[in-house]
């Protein structure tokens, strides 16, 4: 709907007004009408469209009818199609008539000067700022949606800087500008008009701490970009606005969507009439453009791996070598965090989660730093934050954290479709105490952040039955060429007991677990099957996994054929589960190559029966299984391969703004 401005006509002298392109002027025909007037006639000079409104439906004045009844509901609406060349070069004439419809009682004149004032951005999401875009006040989702997009400028393009780029009020490099979104204020019209009018760019107090805006005095010199809007800067008077001009602004996000921030930010430019020096400035027009701050997006196992992260320690040389071999095989970069930097904290998956932000003009990765704050706490901000690599974190204010706040407890599914509802970027999975009353739960500030991103609607699973309590202890996703393009792997005590029972019946009951491992008790298959306490505990653990299985089937739209049960047993310790042997679902997924914890199962015919079973389940999908010994370096410390590694992946090709939340 166009903005409409009411103009009251003077009976003493001609009235002059400024018309802004794209708006409407409503002329008050009653205030200037003589006492005995019964009819009126309204005509415009070439370039002016005059409409007479008598009903809710406007109709253009027919040239064959020179008179209109001066009724209480009559309204004259004027529009124009292009800016004026000179001040007052367009006019509207109003003639009033009494009983004598041939002789006018009075003539009043309105002289109009048309100008263009337009605040524009990339509302079509094409990567370029659009001229004369319509409906800039609304932001809509979906393939046919519209609305500008803003990135949180949370990287550090200047390596010598001590802060993220959005924590200062300056532009230090051209790279910094490329992370920002363009906003252009365009003006056209006679220069004399702008001499008596002021243009103000402004933002609401509630939005000001979410954005920063820089004015480009020069497109060539970075240092000539002035910080004009942001926290404690609610408005900026645009200088030297005259004639046909373009004023270029660069906009950066300061905050991600969160519980108290929808992600939408509105910018306004208002034209003020300053011609009456003895009176306050009068607003005559406001244009608005809405941006949405791009969400932080997680990447599932099915996306292409780009870089692997692992920590070195005095006792894990073989493990790091095995990961290095996988990196070479899959042509991934490898980053090893040295012990001097990790200070003995090897759980790099728990410390951080990789994701990315995206706008039509720019995409870059962003690391989400967990609130666990152990010895690795400085690694993400000191070693990963940098040029075109952003950083975000959330810290609870009022309560301590639990192991569920580590990011082994944060995963994301591949894209799914659930009862006709599409999740083209997958769904976030987090562990919780539900359905148990009380217990551990991921801290609220992290959950709020994840839910607020909107494009990967989270699903909460029951993980408080586990000692560590992470979702990656009982599930993983691997790519597949059929069905939904993936399989969900679930740890399964039932599948393990079934396999061991089969081997016993085949005559291998004396085969031992942990063959070749020193100082590790070696139970036979018969002893494991005869251990009633262990069986009861694992029946309970299976019931917990099955609870999650039902949730995952419902929330991810999975059928039984989409799920593969991976043999696994757990021990009960302090009423919570720990993996009895290395937990095979806690794997690193690198395309078709899987790095799986070596289970040290019973050796039958020269081969670990657990490894053989897993190969038979996964290799038909085109996957390659590499079993990695993490027994003493990770498993005995209550973690596995996935816990000790992290993977940066290629972003989705699907654009998040095409999602319909």
């Amino acid at each position: 709907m166009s903005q409409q401005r009411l103009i009251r006509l003077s009976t003493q002298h001609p009235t002059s007004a400024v018309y802004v392109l794209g708006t409407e002027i409503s002329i008050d025909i009653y205030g200037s009408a003589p006492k005995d007037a019964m009819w009126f006639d309204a005509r415009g000079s070439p370039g002016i469209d005059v409409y007479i409104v008598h009903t809710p439906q406007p109709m253009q004045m027919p040239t064959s009818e020179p008179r209109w009844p001066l009724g209480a509901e009559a309204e004259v609406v004027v529009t124009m199609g292009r800016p004026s060349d000179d001040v007052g070069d367009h006019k509207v004439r109003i003639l009033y008539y009494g009983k004598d419809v041939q002789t006018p009682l009075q003539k009043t004149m309105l002289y109009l000067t048309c100008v263009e004032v337009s605040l524009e951005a990339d509302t079509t999401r094409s990567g370029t700022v659009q001229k004369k875009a319509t409906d800039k006040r609304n932001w809509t989702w979906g393939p046919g949606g519209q609305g500008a997009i803003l990135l949180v400028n949370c990287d550090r393009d200047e390596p010598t800087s001590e802060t993220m780029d959005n924590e200062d009020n300056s532009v230090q490099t051209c790279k910094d500008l490329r992370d920002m979104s363009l906003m252009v204020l365009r003006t056209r019209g006679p220069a004399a008009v702008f001499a008596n009018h002021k243009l103000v760019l402004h933002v609401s107090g509630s939005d000001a701490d979410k954005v920063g805006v820089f004015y480009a005095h020069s497109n060539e010199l970075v240092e000539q970009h002035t910080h004009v809007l942001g926290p404690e800067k609610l408005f900026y008077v645009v200088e030297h606005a005259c004639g046909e001009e373009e004023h270029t602004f660069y906009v950066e996000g300061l905050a991600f969507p969160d519980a108290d921030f929808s992600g939408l930010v509105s910018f306004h430019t208002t034209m003020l009439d300053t011609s009456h020096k003895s009176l306050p400035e009068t607003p005559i027009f406001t244009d608005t453009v809405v941006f949405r701050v791009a969400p932080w997006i997680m990447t599932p196992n099915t996306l292409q791996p780009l870089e692997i992260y692992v920590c070195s320690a005095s006792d894990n040389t073989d493990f790091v070598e095995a990961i290095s071999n996988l990196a070479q095989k899959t042509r991934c970069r490898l980053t090893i965090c040295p012990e001097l930097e990790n200070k003995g904290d090897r759980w790099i998956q728990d410390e951080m989660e990789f994701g990315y932000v995206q706008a039509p003009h720019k995409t870059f990765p962003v690391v989400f730093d967990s609130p666990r704050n152990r010895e690795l706490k400085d690694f993400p901000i000191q070693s990963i934050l940098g040029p075109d690599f952003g950083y975000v974190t959330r810290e609870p204010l009022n309560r301590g954290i639990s192991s569920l706040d580590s990011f082994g407890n944060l995963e994301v599914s591949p894209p799914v479709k659930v009862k006709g509802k599409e999740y083209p970027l997958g769904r976030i999975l987090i562990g919780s105490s539900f359905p148990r009353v009380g217990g551990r739960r991921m801290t609220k500030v992290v959950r709020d952040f994840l839910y607020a991103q909107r494009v990967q609607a989270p699903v909460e699973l029951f993980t408080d039955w586990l000692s560590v309590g992470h979702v990656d202890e009982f599930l993983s996703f691997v790519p597949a060429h059929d069905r939904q393009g993936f399989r969900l792997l679930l740890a399964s005590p039932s599948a393990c007991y079934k396999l061991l029972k089969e081997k016993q019946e085949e005559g291998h009951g004396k085969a031992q677990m942990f063959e070749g491992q020193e100082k590790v008790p070696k139970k036979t298959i018969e002893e494991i099957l005869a251990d009633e306490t262990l069986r009861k505990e694992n029946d309970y653990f299976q019931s917990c996994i099955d609870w999650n299985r039902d949730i995952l089937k419902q929330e991810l739209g999975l059928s039984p054929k989409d799920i593969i049960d991976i043999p696994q047993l757990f021990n009960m310790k302090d009423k919570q589960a720990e993996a009895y042997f290395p937990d095979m679902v806690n794997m690193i997924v690198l395309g078709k190559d899987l790095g799986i914890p070596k289970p040290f199962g019973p050796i039958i015919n020269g081969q670990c029966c657990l490894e053989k079973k897993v190969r038979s389940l996964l290799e038909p999908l085109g996957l390659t299984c590499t079993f990695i010994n993490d027994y003493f370096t990770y498993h005995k410390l209550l973690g596995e391969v996935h816990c000790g590694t992290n993977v940066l992946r290629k972003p989705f090709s699907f654009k998040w703004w095409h999602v319909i939340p």
Side-chain angles (χ1 to χ4, degrees):
M1 180 180 294
S2 298
Q3 293 185 57
Q4 191 175 81
R5 179 184 173 203
L6 179 64
I7 299 293
R8 303 184 188 279
L9 300 178
S10 171
T11 60
Q12 305 299 321
H13 50 76
T15 303
S16 296
V18 171
Y19 170 87
V20 181
L21 203 64
T23 64
E24 295 179 350
I25 282 182
S26 175
I27 301 176
D28 178 11
I29 57 174
Y30 300 101
S32 60
K35 180 180 179 181
D36 297 326
M38 300 173 61
W39 305 86
F40 74 95
D41 178 24
R43 301 283 174 170
S45 60
I48 292 184
D49 293 317
V50 179
Y51 297 85
I52 309 300
V53 181
H54 265 278
T55 67
Q57 297 298 322
M59 52 187 176
Q60 190 165 12
M61 186 183 71
T63 57
S64 60
E65 176 57 66
R67 311 286 182 267
W68 295 89
L70 193 64
E73 296 181 359
E75 182 183 5
V76 176
V77 176
V78 172
T79 63
M80 299 173 67
R82 66 178 185 84
S84 296
D85 296 321
D86 298 300
V87 174
D89 62 355
H90 293 79
K91 59 186 176 182
V92 177
R93 183 194 67 186
I94 306 292
L95 297 178
Y96 295 97
Y97 298 88
K99 292 181 179 180
D100 180 0
V101 296
Q102 301 300 319
T103 305
L105 298 175
Q106 182 176 297
K107 178 177 74 172
T108 58
M109 297 295 295
L110 172 62
Y111 290 89
L112 293 173
T113 305
C114 180
V115 299
E116 179 182 7
V117 176
S118 181
L119 190 60
E120 297 167 349
D122 179 16
T123 55
T124 61
R125 304 162 187 170
S126 64
T128 58
V129 174
Q130 305 302 306
K131 291 185 178 181
K132 300 180 180 179
T134 58
D135 202 20
K136 297 176 289 187
R137 293 172 177 261
N138 294 319
W139 203 99
T140 52
W141 296 88
Q146 65 176 20
I149 293 168
L150 190 60
L151 295 175
V152 177
N153 193 11
C154 58
D155 65 344
R156 184 167 59 199
D157 288 315
E158 176 52 59
T160 60
S161 175
E162 296 182 354
T163 62
M164 290 186 289
D165 289 343
N166 63 357
E167 292 180 342
D168 56 34
N169 293 334
S170 63
V171 177
Q172 298 189 32
T173 67
C174 291
K175 289 183 178 180
D176 195 9
L177 286 177
R178 297 188 192 111
D179 297 337
M180 303 184 196
S181 296
L182 271 177
M183 183 168 64
V184 177
L185 174 59
R186 289 192 171 96
T187 61
R188 284 196 300 163
V193 171
F194 292 99
N196 292 320
H197 291 79
K198 180 189 295 184
L199 286 177
V200 179
L201 183 71
H202 53 106
V203 64
S204 70
S206 60
D207 287 348
D209 61 343
K210 312 296 192 307
V211 292
V213 179
F214 296 87
Y215 178 43
H217 295 279
S218 167
N219 290 328
E220 298 179 358
L221 301 175
V222 171
E223 58 270 19
Q224 291 190 9
H225 289 69
T226 305
H227 185 257
V228 295
L229 291 182
E232 301 180 2
K233 291 183 180 179
L234 303 185
F235 66 91
Y236 172 70
V237 178
V238 180
E239 302 292 343
H240 309 299
C242 59
E244 184 170 352
E245 288 189 350
E246 286 191 359
H247 302 270
T248 301
F249 298 89
Y250 289 88
V251 188
E252 65 177 358
L254 305 184
F256 280 97
D258 216 321
D260 58 352
F261 175 42
S262 70
L264 293 176
V265 179
S266 297
F267 293 99
H268 317 274
T269 185
T270 296
M271 190 174 191
L272 300 169
D273 185 349
T274 61
S275 59
H276 304 288
K277 304 304 179 185
S278 61
L279 298 176
E281 300 166 338
T282 305
I284 64 171
F285 170 77
T286 295
D287 198 17
T288 298
V289 64
V290 175
F291 286 82
R292 181 178 289 279
V293 175
W296 179 77
I297 302 170
M298 289 181 64
T299 53
N301 284 353
T302 49
L303 290 178
Q304 177 186 341
L306 300 175
E307 186 168 4
I308 305 170
Y309 291 76
V310 66
C311 292
S312 65
S314 58
D315 62 350
N316 76 340
T317 303
D318 291 344
F319 180 85
V320 172
E321 183 179 355
I323 298 301
S324 177
N325 292 336
L326 274 178
Q328 291 179 16
K329 182 180 180 182
T330 56
R331 298 182 179 180
C332 291
R333 298 187 300 272
L334 178 66
T335 293
I336 300 174
C337 177
E339 189 168 17
L340 184 65
E341 191 170 352
N342 66 54
K343 302 178 182 66
D345 184 1
R346 67 192 66 198
W347 309 111
I348 200 164
Q349 179 66 229
D350 288 343
E351 181 58 38
M352 61 191 187
E353 185 68 45
F354 289 115
Y356 67 95
V357 293
Q358 183 178 49
H361 68 282
K362 184 69 179 285
T363 301
F364 61 82
V366 175
V367 62
F368 187 9
D369 190 0
S370 79
R372 71 190 281 268
N373 290 342
R374 290 174 59 178
E375 289 81 359
L376 268 172
K377 65 186 178 71
D378 294 329
F379 178 71
I381 196 165
Q382 290 185 355
S383 299
I384 296 180
L385 170 64
D388 285 343
F389 212 129
Y391 172 91
V392 64
T393 190
R394 287 293 181 272
E395 296 281 349
L397 297 177
N398 299 320
R399 75 169 186 87
I401 61 171
S402 72
S403 66
L404 270 67
D405 295 310
S406 297
F407 283 172
N409 194 34
L410 174 60
E411 294 295 321
V412 65
S413 79
V416 293
K417 185 175 182 179
V418 186
K419 297 178 181 178
K421 168 71 173 175
E422 293 187 354
Y423 298 90
L425 301 175
R427 301 192 69 177
I428 287 172
L429 306 176
I430 56 177
S432 179
S433 59
F434 181 81
R436 181 181 294 167
V437 177
R440 298 167 296 172
R441 196 179 186 193
M442 181 177 283
T443 185
K444 185 175 185 299
V445 291
V446 174
R447 283 186 287 114
D448 285 348
F449 175 84
L450 296 172
Y451 277 92
Q453 306 314 303
R454 298 194 63 184
V455 295
Q456 296 177 305
V459 177
E460 293 196 42
L461 300 172
F462 175 38
T463 61
D464 200 31
W465 60 278
L466 290 152
S467 178
V468 177
H470 294 178
V471 291
D472 70 351
E473 295 179 77
F474 70 90
L475 67 80
S476 185
F477 295 93
V478 294
H481 293 300
D482 59 352
R483 301 190 63 78
Q484 298 202 48
F486 67 90
R487 293 290 191 276
L488 167 64
L489 309 185
L490 288 179
S492 175
S494 294
C496 191
Y497 274 107
K498 181 181 178 180
L499 176 64
L500 295 179
K501 183 66 174 176
E502 290 174 355
K503 298 307 172 186
Q504 182 189 42
E505 292 174 351
E506 292 172 1
H508 303 294
K510 301 297 184 181
Q512 294 180 327
M513 291 287 300
F514 309 120
E515 196 73 51
Q517 293 294 93
E518 298 181 2
K519 300 180 181 179
V520 179
K522 298 172 177 60
K523 282 191 174 184
T524 65
I525 291 177
E526 289 178 348
E527 289 171 333
I528 292 172
L529 293 176
D531 190 333
E532 290 297 326
T533 299
L534 183 65
R535 183 62 185 252
K536 288 180 180 179
E537 291 172 352
N538 275 276
D539 286 345
Y540 165 70
F541 301 144
Q542 184 66 61
S543 71
C544 296
I545 294 170
D546 287 342
W547 174 279
N548 288 309
R549 181 193 304 266
D550 291 341
I551 294 175
L552 289 162
K553 287 168 66 176
Q554 178 179 345
E555 297 297 337
L556 300 185
L558 304 180
S559 74
K561 292 183 178 180
D562 296 314
I563 302 172
I564 296 176
D565 289 315
I566 301 297
Q568 186 64 47
L569 294 181
F570 297 89
N571 277 325
M572 182 79 80
K573 185 174 182 180
D574 297 328
K575 297 185 178 181
Q576 291 177 317
E578 296 178 0
Y580 179 70
F581 54 83
D583 188 354
M584 290 185 286
V585 298
N586 194 277
M587 63 180 69
I588 183 172
V589 180
L590 304 170
K592 296 179 180 179
D593 289 280
L594 311 179
I596 304 173
K598 186 174 180 63
F600 293 99
I603 304 297
I604 297 174
N605 298 325
Q607 188 174 4
C608 169
C609 65
L610 291 172
E611 289 186 21
K612 182 178 179 180
K613 180 63 176 179
V614 170
R615 290 185 191 276
S616 72
L617 293 170
L618 300 182
E619 288 181 351
L621 299 175
L623 303 172
T624 300
C625 301
T626 299
F627 291 90
I628 299 173
N629 183 358
D630 71 352
Y631 191 89
F632 292 108
T633 52
Y634 291 88
H635 169 70
K636 295 298 288 183
L637 302 176
L638 303 185
E640 309 288 358
V641 173
H642 186 259
C643 305
T645 58
N646 215 315
V647 182
L648 174 68
R649 300 182 185 273
K650 187 177 180 179
F652 282 99
S653 59
F654 185 92
K655 308 303 182 186
W656 65 264
W657 49 89
H658 291 166
V659 170
I660 301 178

